[in-house]
Amino acid sequence: MQLESLKMFCDVVETGSFSRAAQLNHVTQSAVSQQIRALENRYEQKLLSRSARQVTPTPAGERLFRGCKEILARFAEVEQEIREQAAEVQGTTTVSTIYSVGLHELQSVQKQLLKTHPKVNMRLNYRRNDQVYDDVILGAAEIGIVAYPQPRAGVDILPFRDDKLAVVCAPSHPFSSKAKVSLTALSGVPFIAFDREAPTRKALDRLFREKNLDLNPVMEMDNVETIKRAVEMGLGVAILPLSTCQAEVQANSLMVKPFAEGPVSRPIGLLIRKGKYLDRASAAVLDAFKLATASEE
């Protein structure tokens, strides 16, 4: 029994017409009738009820129709998968990311993607942390990147990397002469902070509370770039991901100091909508994240 026969049978049931099924399959009406007759002989019972106006399935025909539709649909999926594997991966994948990661840490991922899949484009949307979750859940982005990832209904979390944090100050600030800066030294010093809803701000507030220390935010901002500009102007110090300050350090407009207590870092995670099938382009982007991370370890 060939799939073509099953398809013709399904077309007859769906259209209610032998002639229409013949047109869909580019054969004669007689050829369709022969295929249906062969199926009925195989199962030794009528599968279709023929009337002057329409063709309808018998109970046995209805059961065969449902089963055949499942078989044909699965076969079409397999054919598509095989065709995709034979073709070069290409397409565009949307990645929603917080500013401090997207602007400074994805160059290695872009390079890796260009090397392995030059026809795949990674389009970045710069968003606030909570908006990244919404984009992934609602399907506006295939992949999301957030700091301090938290479990949330509708998303799966994949670890990406840990960002090292450092104290950032202007070259004219007293901290600039120190090799390291302690958390205690930061207590009461004018501080340029992320806004209160930012996960990094919440984590720093928690860290200082655990040490019974007080931060003194004089400005609160939602963007790492504006925080750096304020620090450059001497309005205060900040705690920022080390990777976001490399250009300013090279230009000698900012200085970064490690913590005297030891390394402090923030986790970065990748978000994928739970249960979502990733197309080949999105899977290639995800692989580029993994390879870029592995090459840096």
Side-chain angles (χ1 to χ4, degrees):
M1 180 170 51
Q2 297 180 343
L3 287 175
E4 288 78 4
S5 298
L6 300 181
K7 183 180 182 304
M8 288 183 195
F9 172 75
C10 290
D11 288 340
V12 172
V13 173
E14 289 180 325
T15 63
S17 167
F18 278 80
S19 60
R20 181 59 181 147
Q23 292 174 357
L24 291 173
N25 291 275
H26 307 288
V27 297
T28 64
Q29 184 172 333
S30 175
V32 175
S33 297
Q34 291 175 10
Q35 295 289 349
I36 299 302
R37 188 159 46 249
L39 286 174
E40 291 180 330
N41 290 336
R42 178 186 180 88
Y43 296 113
E44 299 181 346
Q45 57 186 308
K46 287 289 185 181
L47 299 174
L48 297 173
S49 176
R50 301 160 178 81
S51 66
R53 293 185 176 182
Q54 193 175 21
V55 179
T56 57
T58 63
E62 180 64 34
R63 178 66 189 90
L64 180 63
F65 171 74
R66 291 197 304 271
C68 287
K69 289 297 290 185
E70 294 175 4
I71 293 170
L72 294 171
R74 180 56 187 146
F75 182 72
E77 291 176 1
V78 172
E79 281 194 315
Q80 181 62 28
E81 290 172 3
I82 293 174
R83 291 193 185 99
E84 286 184 349
Q85 290 174 358
E88 186 175 7
V89 182
Q90 56 185 315
T92 298
T93 294
T94 300
V95 177
S96 284
T97 176
I98 55 175
Y99 290 91
S100 57
V101 175
L103 288 174
H104 302 278
E105 299 192 34
L106 297 188
Q107 290 185 359
S108 60
V109 178
Q110 293 275 24
K111 290 179 181 178
Q112 182 66 48
L113 187 62
L114 183 62
K115 177 182 177 181
T116 56
H117 297 95
K119 292 189 177 181
V120 174
N121 178 42
M122 183 170 68
R123 183 174 61 202
L124 299 179
N125 286 341
Y126 295 104
R127 308 280 275 165
R128 292 171 60 91
N129 206 79
D130 55 339
Q131 292 172 328
V132 174
Y133 285 91
D134 292 339
D135 283 353
V136 172
I137 292 171
L138 297 175
E142 284 73 38
I143 300 171
I145 309 174
V146 296
Y148 299 96
Q150 297 296 319
R152 187 175 297 189
V155 297
D156 288 323
I157 300 172
L158 305 176
F160 177 34
R161 63 172 58 158
D162 287 338
D163 266 347
K164 290 184 179 179
L165 300 178
V167 178
V168 181
C169 65
S172 59
H173 194 277
F175 284 170
S176 64
S177 61
K178 296 180 177 294
K180 298 180 179 180
V181 176
S182 68
L183 294 174
T184 302
L186 289 169
S187 182
V189 172
F191 192 81
I192 313 298
F194 286 102
D195 69 55
R196 294 177 184 273
E197 296 305 312
T200 302
R201 169 66 183 280
K202 292 180 178 179
L204 291 175
D205 285 345
R206 185 164 55 250
L207 175 64
F208 275 75
R209 283 197 305 270
E210 291 172 353
K211 302 291 184 180
N212 293 318
L213 300 172
D214 294 321
L215 274 178
N216 180 29
V218 294
M219 301 180 71
E220 296 178 340
M221 301 176 177
D222 65 354
N223 188 307
V224 68
E225 296 301 308
T226 55
I227 292 177
K228 289 190 295 183
R229 301 295 84 81
V231 175
E232 286 175 333
M233 294 169 62
L235 301 178
V237 301
I239 296 176
L240 295 174
L242 189 59
S243 61
T244 67
C245 303
Q246 298 306 306
E248 289 79 10
V249 170
Q250 292 178 4
N252 200 36
S253 64
L254 288 177
M255 300 189 74
V256 296
K257 303 294 177 178
F259 293 95
E261 293 82 357
V264 177
S265 62
R266 67 171 187 173
I268 304 298
L270 304 178
L271 306 181
I272 306 294
R273 191 172 71 184
K274 190 178 293 292
K276 177 180 175 61
Y277 167 77
L278 290 181
D279 59 27
R280 294 182 72 205
S282 298
V285 171
L286 201 58
D287 286 341
F289 275 99
K290 298 175 182 177
L291 291 172
T293 303
S295 66
E296 295 173 3
E297 293 178 347

